[in-house]
Amino acid sequence: MAKKMLIDAAHPEETRVVVLDGSRVDDFDFETQNKKQLRGNIYLAKVTRVEPSLQAAFVEFGGNRHGFLAFSEIHPDYYQIPTADREALKAEVEAADAEGAEDEEEDEEAAADRRRRLVARRYKIQEVIRRRQIMLVQVVKEERGNKGAALTTYLSLAGRYCVLMPNTGRGGGISRKISSQPDRKRLKKIADELEVPNGMGLIIRTAGAKRTKTEIKRDYEYLTRAWDTIRDATLRSIAPALIYEESSLVKRAIRDLYDKDVEEVLVDGEGAYREAKDFVRMLMPSHAKRVTQWRETTPIFAKHGVERQLDSIYSPVVTLRSGGYIVINQTEALVSIDVNSGRATRERNIEQTALKTNLEAAEEAARQMRLRDLAGLIVIDFIDMEESKNDRQVEKRMKDALRFDRARVQMGKISGFGLLELSRQRRRTGILEGSSHVCEHCAGTGRMRSVESSALALLRGLEDASARRSGDVLEVRAPNDVALYVLNEKRGALAVLEEARNVRIRVVADAALIPPHFEIESAGAFAPESDEEAEAPRAARAAPVRAVEEEDEPDIEEIEEDVAAEANGRDGDGRRRRRRGRRGGRRAREDAPQTVEAAESDGEEDAETETPFAASARDVNGRRKRRRRGRGRRPFGGDGGEALDFAMTDVSAYAPAPTVEAPPPAANDDADADDIGFDAAPAANGHDAPAKPAPAEPEAAPIALVAAAEERDEPAIEAPEAEPAFVDDPYEPDQERREKFFSRLSRWGKKG
């Protein structure tokens, strides 16, 4: 079936490459911006420590940690020994390497073992390597956790069809995966005609099996120029320094994943497209027309149904077609894969069910190894089967599936416990390590995706949702860090998405969510807002602020009497004076459930309705009405609010005068009234009452007093005149308000 290569480089944070076999993801590779690949880079390094117990050296090459350089990976040219001994040792090593000239380029471990045995018989690392020694090294394994990168001094430069080894005199070799004898003979002849210099080795890769001499020679010349550039840069550099950086993911994908079965290469991203086009023109000019740029608005992976398959990579559970499933658990150097039958119940008996599930699990396990780059020791727990021929059938299916793996794999046999053990080479950073970090909440017992990867997943979800809900307002809820990253770093992508899909996007931070989880909801259709409609929400939001400011202002009322007016009722010229002061009853209104207000009188109001307690003090909803700034008198304004505080505690103190004539007041009645802070009987016309009021006519009791009397089971009108009954708790006047009142009183006296 025809294959397609899809390259998604629309976002600079992450580049992804997928090889599709029909609609199924056959191979996958990715690279993130914050975790660049070190494998394949060449550095000029300096030895910092020689460790005899490990027979290795630790070197500083410019990475996050010091690199680990085994003694067997050190070329004899770096040995601090006499020249004659060095030449003899090099000749012996080259002779041993020539024996494995037919081995493929992946069989480097066997060559290292041979070199290790030869060198260990003669020298120890502490005898031939010195501290601060300068070496040219290449990274063969990435940094993982607390472990530094693994290094070697045996360099190799990989091309499309060839692998050049500048300091390994192995002559020439053909990949072991090329099984056709005519092809091997032809390629061997081509390698001999290339005239590789002495001391250098060349291996023809599997991709060059059907290639002509011209194509292989072009690739070899490209690698030779790269080596010349490395030598010149080394002579100009000071350790530690980066000398040669491995190609980007786009070039590596075309170099390693592209083959004759790939009919089309689709690239999303202008920069990645130009890079892929130029690289193909240099290596394979006839294939340049297969590289095309993706120009549709729908994302390239979403269009081909790849996103859903890639999302399953982050899940430990993978479902099989028959209804079974496998569970993948990773540790630092061990991977366990458990096979379960699940819902697979269509076969005739348990043996057939186990066989079919194991066969599907073998194929899917090999595929997941490539997609997730599972490396180290891998243990697969198959379902137990009674017949040994079924075990052999599962082993054969596993070998056939691993045949397409570019990593070096060593596989054993199924044991009596149903366990299959195999070892796989690590080629790149795993999908979980590259796109996630250790959870800070569970201290490494679980994993969560990084902010960048979660933000990109959110954007892809928005792209999918906006395609189905054009014209709507999309509200997306995401974790705080992801929401901030999207709003700050991907604002342009959001604007482009809104413009292209005719949607409006709201990003809301939700601390309850954990990356990469997010929620996308539709808030309805949106309509362009006019200027007046846009101003309305802002005015509504500003209104409460103005209300609070107005409420926080000090209450101002008019005080109609000064010191002279209290004594005489009027000043010298017969006119009233008005004074403005702070209302002392604010705290009383906040503390008491019911507030007593002085009756307001104005020339436009009826004098008969004026009482110390007005029935209209509250509206129908029980809310307190605002006082108007009228000229009504305030009966309780003589002591800074003390009488008002007393009135709120015992309303029976203000019972109207009895129907009988009041006896003449005592000599100290005026003083008592002044001490209490209000007039004994306020006049009905709004003026000050005389010092000795005349007998009052019977009048109806105020509604507030009647209600208070009914609650106390006392007659409201026939109450005898008596001293005001105070509450049990002693009253403590507000000293601050008293001082303010006497200060105003003093000023008014001076003005009068």
Side-chain angles (χ1 to χ4, degrees), residues 2 12 45 49 128 196 238 266 408 478 571 610 641 643 655 681 719:
R49 180 163 61 97
V128 295
V196 180
I238 299 176
L266 300 177
R408 184 173 59 253
D571 57 3
E610 183 178 1

Side-chain angles (χ1 to χ4, degrees), residues 651-705:
V651 295
S652 64
Y654 301 103
T659 56
V660 297
E661 294 184 4
N668 58 349
D669 285 347
D670 294 340
D672 295 338
D674 293 338
D675 292 340
I676 295 175
F678 58 90
D679 296 328
N685 58 1
H687 298 289
D688 296 336
K692 296 181 179 181
E697 295 294 332
E699 58 181 341
I703 297 176
L705 294 179

Side-chain angles (χ1 to χ4, degrees), residues 222-480:
Y222 164 74
L223 296 176
T224 303
R225 292 193 299 269
W227 172 242
D228 293 339
T229 304
I230 292 173
R231 287 195 304 177
D232 296 340
T234 303
L235 297 177
R236 299 192 305 267
S237 303
I238 299 176
L242 174 63
I243 303 300
Y244 171 79
E245 186 175 7
E246 182 71 353
S247 302
S248 64
L249 177 61
V250 176
K251 293 183 178 180
R252 295 200 310 269
I254 295 176
R255 183 191 69 190
D256 300 334
L257 301 179
Y258 182 83
D259 55 21
K260 62 181 183 301
D261 296 331
V262 178
E263 294 184 351
E264 188 177 12
V265 179
L266 300 177
V267 185
D268 188 3
E270 181 66 28
Y273 167 71
R274 300 309 320 168
E275 184 179 9
K277 194 79 170 179
D278 296 341
F279 189 70
V280 172
R281 283 176 179 172
M282 181 182 64
L283 293 181
M284 303 167 289
S286 61
H287 293 246
K289 59 183 179 181
R290 298 187 181 183
V291 181
T292 58
Q293 185 177 4
W294 183 260
R295 299 184 181 276
E296 298 184 15
T297 57
T298 305
I300 183 172
F301 278 16
K303 181 71 173 180
H304 293 82
V306 176
E307 289 293 353
R308 183 176 63 258
Q309 300 184 51
L310 294 183
D311 289 341
S312 64
I313 296 178
Y314 298 95
S315 174
V317 180
V318 181
T319 305
L320 305 177
R321 292 190 301 271
S322 63
Y325 63 93
I326 61 176
V327 181
I328 303 174
N329 291 320
Q330 291 184 251
T331 61
E332 185 174 1
L334 175 66
V335 179
S336 65
I337 302 177
D338 185 25
V339 181
N340 297 278
S341 59
R343 299 181 180 179
T345 57
R346 299 180 182 179
E347 302 303 321
R348 295 176 297 177
N349 51 50
I350 188 173
E351 186 72 12
Q352 292 296 324
T353 301
L355 176 60
K356 184 175 181 180
T357 304
N358 287 340
L359 292 176
E360 291 185 1
E363 293 182 351
E364 187 63 29
R367 176 172 171 265
Q368 292 297 325
M369 291 179 198
R370 297 195 303 269
L371 297 181
R372 309 186 186 209
D373 194 35
L374 302 178
L377 180 61
I378 302 175
V379 180
I380 305 176
D381 182 12
F382 288 106
I383 301 175
D384 294 338
M385 297 179 292
E386 295 180 357
E387 300 181 9
S388 59
K389 65 176 184 179
N390 294 336
D391 292 341
R392 306 291 83 80
Q393 190 174 351
V394 173
E395 293 173 0
K396 184 177 184 301
R397 183 68 63 89
M398 176 64 76
K399 288 182 180 179
D400 294 340
L402 294 175
R403 188 162 47 89
F404 304 100
D405 199 338
R406 292 180 291 124
R408 184 173 59 253
V409 180
Q410 297 177 351
M411 191 184 77
K413 295 183 178 296
I414 298 179
S415 66
F417 299 100
L419 301 179
L420 175 64
E421 299 178 357
L422 57 91
S423 175
R424 186 178 182 274
Q425 177 193 18
R426 188 182 305 276
R427 297 188 58 86
R428 57 175 171 83
T429 302
I431 182 68
L432 294 180
E433 297 177 8
S435 60
S436 63
H437 55 83
V438 177
C439 179
E440 58 184 2
H441 301 287
C442 60
T445 58
R447 305 191 70 90
M448 58 188 299
R449 292 176 66 176
S450 61
V451 174
E452 295 82 0
S453 181
S454 301
L456 295 181
L458 185 147
L459 290 177
R460 292 163 190 147
L462 283 175
E463 291 170 348
D464 184 48
S466 61
R468 293 182 282 104
R469 302 173 183 175
S470 179
D472 287 2
V473 177
L474 300 181
E475 182 174 302
V476 54
R477 294 183 176 275
N480 295 341

Side-chain angles (χ1 to χ4, degrees), residues 180-197:
S180 176
Q181 290 299 325
D183 290 340
R184 295 184 65 87
K185 291 181 180 180
R186 181 178 60 86
L187 295 175
K188 181 66 174 177
K189 183 179 180 181
I190 293 175
D192 295 338
E193 294 176 357
L194 292 179
E195 298 180 357
V196 180

